[in-house]
PDB file of all heavy atoms in Angstrom:
ATOM      1  N   VAL A  18     -11.966   4.870   4.372  1.00  0.00           N
ATOM      2  CA  VAL A  18     -12.967   4.718   3.277  1.00  0.00           C
ATOM      3  C   VAL A  18     -13.367   3.206   3.281  1.00  0.00           C
ATOM      4  O   VAL A  18     -14.594   2.889   3.198  1.00  0.00           O
ATOM      5  CB  VAL A  18     -12.415   5.121   1.968  1.00  0.00           C
ATOM      6  CG1 VAL A  18     -13.312   4.746   0.833  1.00  0.00           C
ATOM      7  CG2 VAL A  18     -12.145   6.679   1.910  1.00  0.00           C
ATOM      8  N   TYR A  21     -15.628   2.413   6.102  1.00  0.00           N
ATOM      9  CA  TYR A  21     -17.010   2.896   5.811  1.00  0.00           C
ATOM     10  C   TYR A  21     -17.772   1.893   4.910  1.00  0.00           C
ATOM     11  O   TYR A  21     -18.919   1.611   5.159  1.00  0.00           O
ATOM     12  CB  TYR A  21     -16.954   4.268   5.093  1.00  0.00           C
ATOM     13  CG  TYR A  21     -18.272   4.754   4.668  1.00  0.00           C
ATOM     14  CD1 TYR A  21     -19.126   5.378   5.574  1.00  0.00           C
ATOM     15  CD2 TYR A  21     -18.730   4.555   3.334  1.00  0.00           C
ATOM     16  CE1 TYR A  21     -20.419   5.835   5.125  1.00  0.00           C
ATOM     17  CE2 TYR A  21     -19.945   4.919   2.937  1.00  0.00           C
ATOM     18  CZ  TYR A  21     -20.838   5.602   3.772  1.00  0.00           C
ATOM     19  OH  TYR A  21     -22.072   6.047   3.412  1.00  0.00           O
ATOM     20  N   TYR A  22     -17.021   1.325   3.937  1.00  0.00           N
ATOM     21  CA  TYR A  22     -17.669   0.352   3.053  1.00  0.00           C
ATOM     22  C   TYR A  22     -18.211  -0.808   3.905  1.00  0.00           C
ATOM     23  O   TYR A  22     -19.349  -1.217   3.704  1.00  0.00           O
ATOM     24  CB  TYR A  22     -16.691  -0.198   2.018  1.00  0.00           C
ATOM     25  CG  TYR A  22     -17.339  -1.315   1.210  1.00  0.00           C
ATOM     26  CD1 TYR A  22     -18.214  -1.115   0.253  1.00  0.00           C
ATOM     27  CD2 TYR A  22     -16.951  -2.636   1.545  1.00  0.00           C
ATOM     28  CE1 TYR A  22     -18.813  -2.171  -0.448  1.00  0.00           C
ATOM     29  CE2 TYR A  22     -17.476  -3.679   0.874  1.00  0.00           C
ATOM     30  CZ  TYR A  22     -18.436  -3.449  -0.187  1.00  0.00           C
ATOM     31  OH  TYR A  22     -19.041  -4.495  -0.817  1.00  0.00           O
ATOM     32  N   LYS A  25     -21.124   0.781   6.370  1.00  0.00           N
ATOM     33  CA  LYS A  25     -22.365   1.400   5.853  1.00  0.00           C
ATOM     34  C   LYS A  25     -22.495   1.394   4.363  1.00  0.00           C
ATOM     35  O   LYS A  25     -23.455   1.923   3.774  1.00  0.00           O
ATOM     36  CB  LYS A  25     -22.359   2.871   6.291  1.00  0.00           C
ATOM     37  CG  LYS A  25     -22.456   3.020   7.825  1.00  0.00           C
ATOM     38  CD  LYS A  25     -22.661   4.474   8.177  1.00  0.00           C
ATOM     39  CE  LYS A  25     -22.862   4.511   9.685  1.00  0.00           C
ATOM     40  NZ  LYS A  25     -22.304   5.788  10.282  1.00  0.00           N
ATOM     41  N   GLY A  26     -21.474   0.844   3.592  1.00  0.00           N
ATOM     42  CA  GLY A  26     -21.559   0.955   2.136  1.00  0.00           C
ATOM     43  C   GLY A  26     -22.751   0.192   1.534  1.00  0.00           C
ATOM     44  O   GLY A  26     -23.282  -0.747   2.209  1.00  0.00           O
ATOM     45  N   ARG A  27     -23.101   0.548   0.341  1.00  0.00           N
ATOM     46  CA  ARG A  27     -24.220  -0.142  -0.333  1.00  0.00           C
ATOM     47  C   ARG A  27     -23.694  -1.420  -0.897  1.00  0.00           C
ATOM     48  O   ARG A  27     -22.694  -1.401  -1.585  1.00  0.00           O
ATOM     49  CB  ARG A  27     -24.803   0.739  -1.472  1.00  0.00           C
ATOM     50  CG  ARG A  27     -25.460   1.962  -0.928  1.00  0.00           C
ATOM     51  CD  ARG A  27     -26.069   2.794  -2.050  1.00  0.00           C
ATOM     52  NE  ARG A  27     -25.038   3.437  -2.900  1.00  0.00           N
ATOM     53  CZ  ARG A  27     -25.296   4.361  -3.753  1.00  0.00           C
ATOM     54  NH1 ARG A  27     -26.519   4.829  -3.862  1.00  0.00           N
ATOM     55  NH2 ARG A  27     -24.349   4.868  -4.500  1.00  0.00           N
ATOM     56  N   LYS A  28     -24.422  -2.514  -0.568  1.00  0.00           N
ATOM     57  CA  LYS A  28     -23.947  -3.789  -0.991  1.00  0.00           C
ATOM     58  C   LYS A  28     -24.992  -4.647  -1.730  1.00  0.00           C
ATOM     59  O   LYS A  28     -24.712  -5.768  -2.210  1.00  0.00           O
ATOM     60  CB  LYS A  28     -23.402  -4.625   0.166  1.00  0.00           C
ATOM     61  CG  LYS A  28     -22.310  -3.961   0.959  1.00  0.00           C
ATOM     62  CD  LYS A  28     -21.832  -4.689   2.130  1.00  0.00           C
ATOM     63  CE  LYS A  28     -20.902  -3.846   3.012  1.00  0.00           C
ATOM     64  NZ  LYS A  28     -21.627  -2.915   3.898  1.00  0.00           N
ATOM     65  N   ASN A  29     -26.163  -4.178  -1.783  1.00  0.00           N
ATOM     66  CA  ASN A  29     -27.262  -4.967  -2.318  1.00  0.00           C
ATOM     67  C   ASN A  29     -28.086  -4.405  -3.471  1.00  0.00           C
ATOM     68  O   ASN A  29     -29.218  -4.787  -3.699  1.00  0.00           O
ATOM     69  CB  ASN A  29     -28.208  -5.335  -1.140  1.00  0.00           C
ATOM     70  CG  ASN A  29     -27.538  -6.302  -0.174  1.00  0.00           C
ATOM     71  OD1 ASN A  29     -26.897  -7.278  -0.594  1.00  0.00           O
ATOM     72  ND2 ASN A  29     -27.538  -5.940   1.103  1.00  0.00           N
ATOM     73  N   LEU A  30     -27.434  -3.512  -4.176  1.00  0.00           N
ATOM     74  CA  LEU A  30     -28.083  -3.053  -5.401  1.00  0.00           C
ATOM     75  C   LEU A  30     -27.930  -4.171  -6.452  1.00  0.00           C
ATOM     76  O   LEU A  30     -27.082  -5.051  -6.322  1.00  0.00           O
ATOM     77  CB  LEU A  30     -27.425  -1.793  -5.877  1.00  0.00           C
ATOM     78  CG  LEU A  30     -27.705  -0.573  -4.926  1.00  0.00           C
ATOM     79  CD1 LEU A  30     -26.861   0.614  -5.330  1.00  0.00           C
ATOM     80  CD2 LEU A  30     -29.198  -0.198  -4.893  1.00  0.00           C
ATOM     81  N   TRP A  32     -26.683  -4.618  -9.185  1.00  0.00           N
ATOM     82  CA  TRP A  32     -25.379  -4.801  -9.888  1.00  0.00           C
ATOM     83  C   TRP A  32     -24.286  -5.115  -8.936  1.00  0.00           C
ATOM     84  O   TRP A  32     -23.135  -5.185  -9.295  1.00  0.00           O
ATOM     85  CB  TRP A  32     -25.044  -3.638 -10.718  1.00  0.00           C
ATOM     86  CG  TRP A  32     -25.258  -2.316 -10.088  1.00  0.00           C
ATOM     87  CD1 TRP A  32     -24.452  -1.643  -9.259  1.00  0.00           C
ATOM     88  CD2 TRP A  32     -26.520  -1.529 -10.099  1.00  0.00           C
ATOM     89  NE1 TRP A  32     -25.060  -0.497  -8.758  1.00  0.00           N
ATOM     90  CE2 TRP A  32     -26.288  -0.382  -9.309  1.00  0.00           C
ATOM     91  CE3 TRP A  32     -27.759  -1.722 -10.759  1.00  0.00           C
ATOM     92  CZ2 TRP A  32     -27.322   0.585  -9.168  1.00  0.00           C
ATOM     93  CZ3 TRP A  32     -28.736  -0.784 -10.654  1.00  0.00           C
ATOM     94  CH2 TRP A  32     -28.478   0.401  -9.819  1.00  0.00           C
ATOM     95  N   HIS A  33     -24.604  -5.270  -7.606  1.00  0.00           N
ATOM     96  CA  HIS A  33     -23.614  -5.656  -6.644  1.00  0.00           C
ATOM     97  C   HIS A  33     -23.555  -7.221  -6.612  1.00  0.00           C
ATOM     98  O   HIS A  33     -24.386  -7.879  -7.179  1.00  0.00           O
ATOM     99  CB  HIS A  33     -23.973  -5.162  -5.294  1.00  0.00           C
ATOM    100  CG  HIS A  33     -23.783  -3.629  -5.202  1.00  0.00           C
ATOM    101  ND1 HIS A  33     -24.405  -2.865  -4.233  1.00  0.00           N
ATOM    102  CD2 HIS A  33     -23.093  -2.712  -5.950  1.00  0.00           C
ATOM    103  CE1 HIS A  33     -24.129  -1.585  -4.414  1.00  0.00           C
ATOM    104  NE2 HIS A  33     -23.298  -1.470  -5.436  1.00  0.00           N
ATOM    105  N   VAL A  53     -29.950   6.142  -8.992  1.00  0.00           N
ATOM    106  CA  VAL A  53     -30.059   4.706  -8.803  1.00  0.00           C
ATOM    107  C   VAL A  53     -31.532   4.253  -8.920  1.00  0.00           C
ATOM    108  O   VAL A  53     -31.831   3.236  -9.640  1.00  0.00           O
ATOM    109  CB  VAL A  53     -29.508   4.356  -7.411  1.00  0.00           C
ATOM    110  CG1 VAL A  53     -29.933   2.897  -6.931  1.00  0.00           C
ATOM    111  CG2 VAL A  53     -27.977   4.493  -7.369  1.00  0.00           C
ATOM    112  N   PHE A 136     -14.095  -3.829 -10.194  1.00  0.00           N
ATOM    113  CA  PHE A 136     -15.214  -4.608  -9.721  1.00  0.00           C
ATOM    114  C   PHE A 136     -15.272  -6.039 -10.290  1.00  0.00           C
ATOM    115  O   PHE A 136     -15.606  -6.956  -9.636  1.00  0.00           O
ATOM    116  CB  PHE A 136     -16.525  -3.875  -9.983  1.00  0.00           C
ATOM    117  CG  PHE A 136     -16.659  -2.546  -9.262  1.00  0.00           C
ATOM    118  CD1 PHE A 136     -17.232  -1.510  -9.848  1.00  0.00           C
ATOM    119  CD2 PHE A 136     -16.268  -2.468  -7.940  1.00  0.00           C
ATOM    120  CE1 PHE A 136     -17.455  -0.293  -9.198  1.00  0.00           C
ATOM    121  CE2 PHE A 136     -16.400  -1.265  -7.210  1.00  0.00           C
ATOM    122  CZ  PHE A 136     -17.014  -0.188  -7.878  1.00  0.00           C
ATOM    123  N   ILE A 144     -10.719   5.231  -9.950  1.00  0.00           N
ATOM    124  CA  ILE A 144     -11.953   5.772 -10.620  1.00  0.00           C
ATOM    125  C   ILE A 144     -12.070   7.280 -10.275  1.00  0.00           C
ATOM    126  O   ILE A 144     -11.426   7.729  -9.314  1.00  0.00           O
ATOM    127  CB  ILE A 144     -13.241   5.023 -10.197  1.00  0.00           C
ATOM    128  CG1 ILE A 144     -13.482   5.234  -8.689  1.00  0.00           C
ATOM    129  CG2 ILE A 144     -13.220   3.582 -10.545  1.00  0.00           C
ATOM    130  CD1 ILE A 144     -14.894   4.851  -8.240  1.00  0.00           C
ATOM    131  N   ASP A 146     -15.425   9.251 -10.859  1.00  0.00           N
ATOM    132  CA  ASP A 146     -16.737   9.779 -11.394  1.00  0.00           C
ATOM    133  C   ASP A 146     -17.061  11.024 -10.621  1.00  0.00           C
ATOM    134  O   ASP A 146     -16.314  11.555  -9.821  1.00  0.00           O
ATOM    135  CB  ASP A 146     -17.785   8.686 -11.235  1.00  0.00           C
ATOM    136  CG  ASP A 146     -18.178   8.350  -9.825  1.00  0.00           C
ATOM    137  OD1 ASP A 146     -17.606   8.966  -8.895  1.00  0.00           O
ATOM    138  OD2 ASP A 146     -19.052   7.502  -9.620  1.00  0.00           O
ATOM    139  N   ASN A 148     -19.078  11.680  -8.201  1.00  0.00           N
ATOM    140  CA  ASN A 148     -19.129  11.626  -6.707  1.00  0.00           C
ATOM    141  C   ASN A 148     -17.712  11.601  -6.163  1.00  0.00           C
ATOM    142  O   ASN A 148     -17.444  12.274  -5.138  1.00  0.00           O
ATOM    143  CB  ASN A 148     -19.840  10.332  -6.289  1.00  0.00           C
ATOM    144  CG  ASN A 148     -21.353  10.441  -6.495  1.00  0.00           C
ATOM    145  OD1 ASN A 148     -21.897  11.482  -6.316  1.00  0.00           O
ATOM    146  ND2 ASN A 148     -22.020   9.311  -6.876  1.00  0.00           N
ATOM    147  N   VAL A 149     -16.843  10.884  -6.761  1.00  0.00           N
ATOM    148  CA  VAL A 149     -15.474  10.808  -6.312  1.00  0.00           C
ATOM    149  C   VAL A 149     -14.791  12.147  -6.413  1.00  0.00           C
ATOM    150  O   VAL A 149     -14.047  12.618  -5.519  1.00  0.00           O
ATOM    151  CB  VAL A 149     -14.666   9.745  -7.051  1.00  0.00           C
ATOM    152  CG1 VAL A 149     -13.224   9.614  -6.508  1.00  0.00           C
ATOM    153  CG2 VAL A 149     -15.363   8.347  -6.822  1.00  0.00           C
ATOM    154  N   ARG A 151     -16.139  15.044  -6.250  1.00  0.00           N
ATOM    155  CA  ARG A 151     -16.593  15.972  -5.189  1.00  0.00           C
ATOM    156  C   ARG A 151     -15.900  15.670  -3.839  1.00  0.00           C
ATOM    157  O   ARG A 151     -15.443  16.583  -3.152  1.00  0.00           O
ATOM    158  CB  ARG A 151     -18.083  15.914  -5.088  1.00  0.00           C
ATOM    159  CG  ARG A 151     -18.712  16.917  -4.206  1.00  0.00           C
ATOM    160  CD  ARG A 151     -20.177  17.027  -4.331  1.00  0.00           C
ATOM    161  NE  ARG A 151     -20.904  15.739  -4.174  1.00  0.00           N
ATOM    162  CZ  ARG A 151     -21.394  15.016  -5.206  1.00  0.00           C
ATOM    163  NH1 ARG A 151     -21.313  15.431  -6.433  1.00  0.00           N
ATOM    164  NH2 ARG A 151     -21.991  13.859  -4.938  1.00  0.00           N
ATOM    165  N   VAL A 152     -15.799  14.363  -3.481  1.00  0.00           N
ATOM    166  CA  VAL A 152     -15.213  13.994  -2.203  1.00  0.00           C
ATOM    167  C   VAL A 152     -13.793  14.443  -2.169  1.00  0.00           C
ATOM    168  O   VAL A 152     -13.319  15.130  -1.174  1.00  0.00           O
ATOM    169  CB  VAL A 152     -15.300  12.484  -2.007  1.00  0.00           C
ATOM    170  CG1 VAL A 152     -14.565  12.077  -0.696  1.00  0.00           C
ATOM    171  CG2 VAL A 152     -16.746  12.028  -1.923  1.00  0.00           C
ATOM    172  N   ALA A 187     -13.784  -2.524  -2.870  1.00  0.00           N
ATOM    173  CA  ALA A 187     -14.485  -2.028  -1.673  1.00  0.00           C
ATOM    174  C   ALA A 187     -14.223  -0.522  -1.538  1.00  0.00           C
ATOM    175  O   ALA A 187     -15.126   0.257  -1.264  1.00  0.00           O
ATOM    176  CB  ALA A 187     -13.991  -2.773  -0.424  1.00  0.00           C
ATOM    177  N   TYR A 188     -12.956  -0.160  -1.747  1.00  0.00           N
ATOM    178  CA  TYR A 188     -12.604   1.310  -1.644  1.00  0.00           C
ATOM    179  C   TYR A 188     -13.369   2.096  -2.711  1.00  0.00           C
ATOM    180  O   TYR A 188     -13.989   3.088  -2.405  1.00  0.00           O
ATOM    181  CB  TYR A 188     -11.129   1.468  -1.830  1.00  0.00           C
ATOM    182  CG  TYR A 188     -10.654   2.869  -1.992  1.00  0.00           C
ATOM    183  CD1 TYR A 188     -10.375   3.636  -0.884  1.00  0.00           C
ATOM    184  CD2 TYR A 188     -10.542   3.465  -3.264  1.00  0.00           C
ATOM    185  CE1 TYR A 188      -9.964   4.937  -1.011  1.00  0.00           C
ATOM    186  CE2 TYR A 188     -10.147   4.821  -3.394  1.00  0.00           C
ATOM    187  CZ  TYR A 188      -9.833   5.563  -2.297  1.00  0.00           C
ATOM    188  OH  TYR A 188      -9.473   6.855  -2.436  1.00  0.00           O
ATOM    189  N   ASN A 189     -13.326   1.662  -3.963  1.00  0.00           N
ATOM    190  CA  ASN A 189     -14.020   2.407  -5.062  1.00  0.00           C
ATOM    191  C   ASN A 189     -15.537   2.469  -4.778  1.00  0.00           C
ATOM    192  O   ASN A 189     -16.127   3.527  -4.977  1.00  0.00           O
ATOM    193  CB  ASN A 189     -13.716   1.732  -6.421  1.00  0.00           C
ATOM    194  CG  ASN A 189     -12.335   2.084  -6.913  1.00  0.00           C
ATOM    195  OD1 ASN A 189     -11.748   3.011  -6.493  1.00  0.00           O
ATOM    196  ND2 ASN A 189     -11.916   1.301  -7.845  1.00  0.00           N
ATOM    197  N   GLN A 190     -16.127   1.362  -4.306  1.00  0.00           N
ATOM    198  CA  GLN A 190     -17.541   1.418  -4.105  1.00  0.00           C
ATOM    199  C   GLN A 190     -17.829   2.396  -3.027  1.00  0.00           C
ATOM    200  O   GLN A 190     -18.814   3.179  -3.009  1.00  0.00           O
ATOM    201  CB  GLN A 190     -18.030  -0.041  -3.681  1.00  0.00           C
ATOM    202  CG  GLN A 190     -19.519  -0.134  -3.420  1.00  0.00           C
ATOM    203  CD  GLN A 190     -20.348   0.215  -4.623  1.00  0.00           C
ATOM    204  OE1 GLN A 190     -20.162  -0.340  -5.683  1.00  0.00           O
ATOM    205  NE2 GLN A 190     -21.274   1.241  -4.541  1.00  0.00           N
ATOM    206  N   ALA A 191     -16.981   2.422  -1.926  1.00  0.00           N
ATOM    207  CA  ALA A 191     -17.233   3.253  -0.810  1.00  0.00           C
ATOM    208  C   ALA A 191     -17.071   4.726  -1.214  1.00  0.00           C
ATOM    209  O   ALA A 191     -17.814   5.593  -0.702  1.00  0.00           O
ATOM    210  CB  ALA A 191     -16.324   2.959   0.382  1.00  0.00           C
ATOM    211  N   MET A 192     -16.089   5.048  -2.081  1.00  0.00           N
ATOM    212  CA  MET A 192     -15.901   6.415  -2.551  1.00  0.00           C
ATOM    213  C   MET A 192     -17.209   6.906  -3.242  1.00  0.00           C
ATOM    214  O   MET A 192     -17.691   8.008  -3.049  1.00  0.00           O
ATOM    215  CB  MET A 192     -14.729   6.570  -3.419  1.00  0.00           C
ATOM    216  CG  MET A 192     -13.437   6.572  -2.669  1.00  0.00           C
ATOM    217  SD  MET A 192     -13.209   7.957  -1.517  1.00  0.00           S
ATOM    218  CE  MET A 192     -12.774   9.301  -2.644  1.00  0.00           C
ATOM    219  N   MET A 193     -17.701   6.019  -4.136  1.00  0.00           N
ATOM    220  CA  MET A 193     -18.950   6.370  -4.839  1.00  0.00           C
ATOM    221  C   MET A 193     -20.070   6.560  -3.850  1.00  0.00           C
ATOM    222  O   MET A 193     -20.886   7.495  -3.973  1.00  0.00           O
ATOM    223  CB  MET A 193     -19.338   5.229  -5.748  1.00  0.00           C
ATOM    224  CG  MET A 193     -18.467   5.065  -6.967  1.00  0.00           C
ATOM    225  SD  MET A 193     -19.026   3.613  -7.840  1.00  0.00           S
ATOM    226  CE  MET A 193     -18.085   3.641  -9.357  1.00  0.00           C
ATOM    227  N   ASP A 194     -20.159   5.730  -2.848  1.00  0.00           N
ATOM    228  CA  ASP A 194     -21.253   5.780  -1.838  1.00  0.00           C
ATOM    229  C   ASP A 194     -21.158   7.071  -1.016  1.00  0.00           C
ATOM    230  O   ASP A 194     -22.116   7.728  -0.775  1.00  0.00           O
ATOM    231  CB  ASP A 194     -21.259   4.592  -0.969  1.00  0.00           C
ATOM    232  CG  ASP A 194     -21.682   3.329  -1.681  1.00  0.00           C
ATOM    233  OD1 ASP A 194     -22.093   3.402  -2.846  1.00  0.00           O
ATOM    234  OD2 ASP A 194     -21.505   2.201  -1.100  1.00  0.00           O
ATOM    235  N   LEU A 195     -19.905   7.359  -0.617  1.00  0.00           N
ATOM    236  CA  LEU A 195     -19.708   8.584   0.201  1.00  0.00           C
ATOM    237  C   LEU A 195     -20.136   9.819  -0.584  1.00  0.00           C
ATOM    238  O   LEU A 195     -20.804  10.688  -0.020  1.00  0.00           O
ATOM    239  CB  LEU A 195     -18.237   8.695   0.570  1.00  0.00           C
ATOM    240  CG  LEU A 195     -17.745   7.967   1.777  1.00  0.00           C
ATOM    241  CD1 LEU A 195     -16.249   7.980   1.878  1.00  0.00           C
ATOM    242  CD2 LEU A 195     -18.332   8.533   3.041  1.00  0.00           C
ATOM    243  N   GLY A 196     -19.748   9.848  -1.873  1.00  0.00           N
ATOM    244  CA  GLY A 196     -20.205  11.028  -2.608  1.00  0.00           C
ATOM    245  C   GLY A 196     -21.691  11.027  -2.813  1.00  0.00           C
ATOM    246  O   GLY A 196     -22.303  12.167  -2.849  1.00  0.00           O
ATOM    247  N   ALA A 197     -22.355   9.914  -2.968  1.00  0.00           N
ATOM    248  CA  ALA A 197     -23.752   9.928  -3.281  1.00  0.00           C
ATOM    249  C   ALA A 197     -24.597  10.155  -2.022  1.00  0.00           C
ATOM    250  O   ALA A 197     -25.676  10.736  -2.058  1.00  0.00           O
ATOM    251  CB  ALA A 197     -24.174   8.535  -3.970  1.00  0.00           C
ATOM    252  N   ILE A 198     -24.092   9.623  -0.842  1.00  0.00           N
ATOM    253  CA  ILE A 198     -24.957   9.556   0.324  1.00  0.00           C
ATOM    254  C   ILE A 198     -24.536  10.596   1.393  1.00  0.00           C
ATOM    255  O   ILE A 198     -25.366  11.171   2.070  1.00  0.00           O
ATOM    256  CB  ILE A 198     -24.992   8.176   0.942  1.00  0.00           C
ATOM    257  CG1 ILE A 198     -25.458   7.090  -0.079  1.00  0.00           C
ATOM    258  CG2 ILE A 198     -25.662   8.060   2.259  1.00  0.00           C
ATOM    259  CD1 ILE A 198     -25.180   5.688   0.317  1.00  0.00           C
ATOM    260  N   VAL A 199     -23.240  10.816   1.537  1.00  0.00           N
ATOM    261  CA  VAL A 199     -22.729  11.631   2.628  1.00  0.00           C
ATOM    262  C   VAL A 199     -22.195  13.006   2.098  1.00  0.00           C
ATOM    263  O   VAL A 199     -22.706  14.056   2.487  1.00  0.00           O
ATOM    264  CB  VAL A 199     -21.623  10.915   3.414  1.00  0.00           C
ATOM    265  CG1 VAL A 199     -21.133  11.790   4.539  1.00  0.00           C
ATOM    266  CG2 VAL A 199     -22.100   9.563   3.914  1.00  0.00           C
ATOM    267  N   CYS A 200     -21.263  12.990   1.206  1.00  0.00           N
ATOM    268  CA  CYS A 200     -20.648  14.154   0.711  1.00  0.00           C
ATOM    269  C   CYS A 200     -21.490  14.645  -0.473  1.00  0.00           C
ATOM    270  O   CYS A 200     -21.006  14.784  -1.607  1.00  0.00           O
ATOM    271  CB  CYS A 200     -19.232  13.975   0.321  1.00  0.00           C
ATOM    272  SG  CYS A 200     -18.275  15.504   0.074  1.00  0.00           S
ATOM    273  N   LYS A 201     -22.730  14.943  -0.202  1.00  0.00           N
ATOM    274  CA  LYS A 201     -23.695  15.278  -1.307  1.00  0.00           C
ATOM    275  C   LYS A 201     -23.386  16.730  -1.831  1.00  0.00           C
ATOM    276  O   LYS A 201     -22.815  17.503  -1.043  1.00  0.00           O
ATOM    277  CB  LYS A 201     -25.128  15.219  -0.836  1.00  0.00           C
ATOM    278  CG  LYS A 201     -25.513  13.851  -0.343  1.00  0.00           C
ATOM    279  CD  LYS A 201     -26.944  13.804   0.152  1.00  0.00           C
ATOM    280  CE  LYS A 201     -27.112  14.564   1.447  1.00  0.00           C
ATOM    281  NZ  LYS A 201     -28.450  14.602   1.966  1.00  0.00           N
TER     282      LYS A 201
END
Side-chain angles (χ1 to χ4, degrees):
V18 173
Y21 173 82
Y22 172 77
K25 295 189 177 145
R27 294 182 290 192
K28 303 178 190 79
N29 292 312
L30 292 172
W32 42 87
H33 292 157
V53 166
F136 294 141
I144 60 167
D146 69 358
N148 286 325
V149 178
R151 189 166 54 254
V152 174
Y188 170 88
N189 282 343
Q190 181 61 55
M192 284 296 284
M193 290 175 172
D194 292 350
L195 276 170
I198 299 165
V199 181
C200 193
K201 298 180 292 179

